[in-house]
Amino acid sequence: MESHHHNHLHRKRKPRNLKLHIPISPNPSNLLLFLISLFLLLCFIFLTRFPSGSQSFRPILTISRFHPLSIQDSSTGSLPPLKIEQQISFPDHVLLLVSKIHDPSLMNSYRIGLECVHRFVENPTRLVVLPVLSVEDYDGWRSIVRCPVSSNTNKKSPVFVALRRRGGSTGAEEEDRLFRHRESMHSWEELVYNGVIDGETAVVFVKGLNLRPDRASDAAQFKCHFGWSNNFNALTTSAVTAAQEIVRCSLPRSFRNLPEKADGVGITISTVAHHGKHHNNEGEGLVHYVPSVARLSNLSDKRRRRKNKKYELCVCTMLWNQASSLKEWIQYHAWLGVERWFIYDNNSDDGIKEVVEQLEQGNYNVSIHTWPWIKTQEAGFSHCALRAKSECKWVGFIDVDEFFYFPIPSAPNRKTSEFRVYPGRNSLQSLITNVSHSAAIGEIRTSCHSFGPSGLNKHPSQGVTLGYTCRLQSPERHKSIVLLDALDETLLTVVHHFHLKKEFTYMNLPESTALINHYKYQVWEKFRAKFFRRVATYVADWQENQNEGSKDRAPGLGTEAIEPPNWSHQFCEVWDTGLRDFLIANLADPSSGLLPWESHDSQ
């Protein structure tokens, strides 16, 4: 036993007898060799005592001041850390702006590897853990993580949300670490949510100002504040214009000289109360700073500029869960002459990005832009106008369920004959070319015919243009194509049209020249989804008991998503197969009879 023990100790002492035969002398080259050898020895000892596969060296979840979250489990491997920068509370989810995920291929790994942890101010010991809804890119500095809202949560109760790896610890120490440095929860109803550099001005998008729709407001009550790390006292300028959700301010002189310096700078808006008791000791109005998650973006640096000339005709739309209609809408309007599409995605979860990727592979010039801000369609269209300015001359602002239609022209002896267009390939672009000869026209307005379910109970597999063929007799509303150089600097829009500079006017197209088929009242399954959320800012949701006589509402529907009796036969006054017949005659494959948007799915 003693001999065995002695040998065992002897074996354990052997490393102490390890000698390094390194010549040491005042020679600098020998000294450098000694230092290198010592470094290699230390690396060897570290690796042998702490092998990468050992349990003692496994990375653990850590949350620092900015919530960096590293994830490692068997399904996701090791992912780079995330930092939660801002939290925004929406009616049906919480949006987290996190540090940029530079590799798009990791988006799904984060989604399946993360959980949302809710802690409530009124009851800090209560945690609600829910799976992440989605993870996607947002801007040049941040990505988005969406967390659900618990169904049994009191929506008025303040809540904070943190992220942890899936199946992580729920111990008290872990909870404290998660919420030790929580960020404030902003409300989507009062928030500066976006900013764009436009020449020598900053265009700021803000909710909560409650400015009157369809008119400019007094800009003197607003100022813009620029800064870093939520310290907005560095630079201040006065507002130039204010309208609805948009405030335009002068850029600070240092940014005007070097616009690239402003890219990524934080910005907010302040307002001054000049009435009542809201004054400070000097008698001045109290200043209110609107909470902000906005960073200025220099879109001119990010947009692809045309080498020779701008696109003649582009289209911008905002949508939510309309992926099933996107191919039909884009491929048909590409045939009419649209060259470029800007898709503003308003929180879709129906695979729209995959559809856009397929269209891009088919050489359709489509870009998708994450726009998470609900009830902001007007502001989103104004943002798109700024984004498209360096690429496009004219931009159409239409929805995915709206399709241009050129009926057979009537007798050519009308005053508008110079704008007459014959139906066929590139006919919409031909219209734009004809109108462009008049220097005073800055907007083209086209009447919309609203189509109903046309007796159907299921969504037509051939597409809306072939399936829905019965409509209301009289047109409702209009939609516009605008010359971007003609837009008023307020960027004021009411969805259907923009305000123009004084030297420009608009033109109403006669119905004999062009119409828009608006497939507004589709089968109940599709219409119920549309009923869920309206994207326009100043149009009441159907769930709200407001403006019940408005054309923006469905007549007789009420305020609940309950299918009315005989829905499939409502809104049917005139059978109209004009566009359907035209498509079959001109776009259908001669051998198979399939239209372009049917071909891919049928192979």
Side-chain angles (χ1 to χ4, degrees), residues 133-144:
L133 292 174
S134 64
V135 180
E136 59 186 296
D137 193 29
Y138 178 53
D139 59 21
W141 313 277
R142 297 165 295 183
S143 298
I144 281 175

Side-chain angles (χ1 to χ4, degrees), residues 213-353:
D214 198 21
R215 67 176 59 187
S217 299
D218 179 16
Q221 59 186 313
F222 303 107
K223 290 186 181 296
C224 287
H225 305 270
F226 306 80
W228 296 263
S229 301
N230 291 326
N231 177 14
F232 296 112
N233 295 320
L235 298 167
T236 299
T237 63
S238 298
V240 178
T241 64
Q244 296 184 168
E245 291 190 3
I246 298 176
V247 176
R248 185 190 290 267
C249 290
S250 300
L251 274 179
R253 182 174 300 176
S254 58
F255 292 160
R256 292 200 300 270
N257 297 334
L258 291 171
E260 60 272 16
K261 289 177 59 178
D263 205 23
V265 169
I267 188 168
T268 192
I269 297 292
S270 70
T271 62
V272 180
H274 291 288
H275 55 82
K277 299 180 180 180
H278 301 290
H279 292 81
N280 60 20
N281 295 332
E282 286 74 29
E284 298 177 350
L286 291 179
V287 177
H288 171 64
Y289 290 84
V290 182
S292 177
V293 297
R295 293 195 187 185
L296 278 176
S297 177
N298 193 354
L299 293 179
S300 62
D301 289 340
K302 297 177 174 62
R303 292 175 296 202
R304 186 190 66 190
R305 293 183 178 272
R306 299 281 288 157
K307 292 182 179 180
N308 300 320
K309 62 178 183 178
K310 294 181 179 181
Y311 296 114
E312 196 72 23
L313 178 59
C314 305
V315 163
C316 179
T317 196
M318 185 178 293
L319 53 76
W320 174 74
N321 282 0
Q322 290 179 285
S324 61
S325 300
L326 199 58
K327 280 186 181 180
E328 178 183 11
W329 183 72
I330 285 180
Q331 291 180 317
Y332 169 63
H333 285 98
W335 191 79
L336 292 182
V338 176
E339 303 166 280
R340 175 85 165 91
W341 286 264
F342 301 90
I343 309 296
Y344 276 52
D345 177 24
N346 198 217
N347 304 309
S348 298
D349 57 6
D350 63 343
I352 184 172
K353 289 181 174 60

Side-chain angles (χ1 to χ4, degrees), residues 114-135:
L114 288 177
E115 291 177 331
C116 304
V117 184
H118 299 67
R119 170 179 273 184
F120 304 89
V121 173
E122 62 181 15
N123 185 6
T125 61
R126 179 190 175 212
L127 297 183
V128 175
V129 180
L130 297 168
V132 164
L133 292 174
S134 64
V135 180

Side-chain angles (χ1 to χ4, degrees), residues 487-553:
L487 295 186
D488 184 76
E489 66 175 350
T490 61
L491 298 175
L492 191 55
T493 173
V494 286
V495 177
H496 307 292
H497 59 264
F498 278 81
H499 284 217
L500 305 176
K501 296 176 182 176
K502 293 181 179 179
E503 60 267 31
F504 290 93
T505 186
Y506 63 87
M507 181 188 72
N508 287 317
L509 283 178
E511 292 186 31
S512 59
T513 297
L515 290 164
I516 289 178
N517 283 6
H518 184 188
Y519 299 102
K520 181 177 181 179
Y521 308 110
Q522 300 185 23
V523 296
W524 179 251
E525 175 191 1
K526 292 290 184 179
F527 187 83
R528 182 175 57 185
K530 186 175 181 179
F531 179 97
F532 171 72
R533 178 189 297 159
R534 305 299 301 278
V535 296
T537 310
Y538 296 95
V539 176
D541 287 345
W542 283 314
Q543 300 97 316
E544 299 175 1
N545 189 19
Q546 299 178 23
N547 303 329
E548 294 193 18
S550 169
K551 292 181 180 179
D552 289 307
R553 303 185 68 89

Side-chain angles (χ1 to χ4, degrees), residues 161-174:
V161 179
L163 296 172
R164 74 177 188 192
R165 64 179 179 181
R166 186 181 56 193
S169 170
T170 57
E173 183 179 348
E174 178 67 14

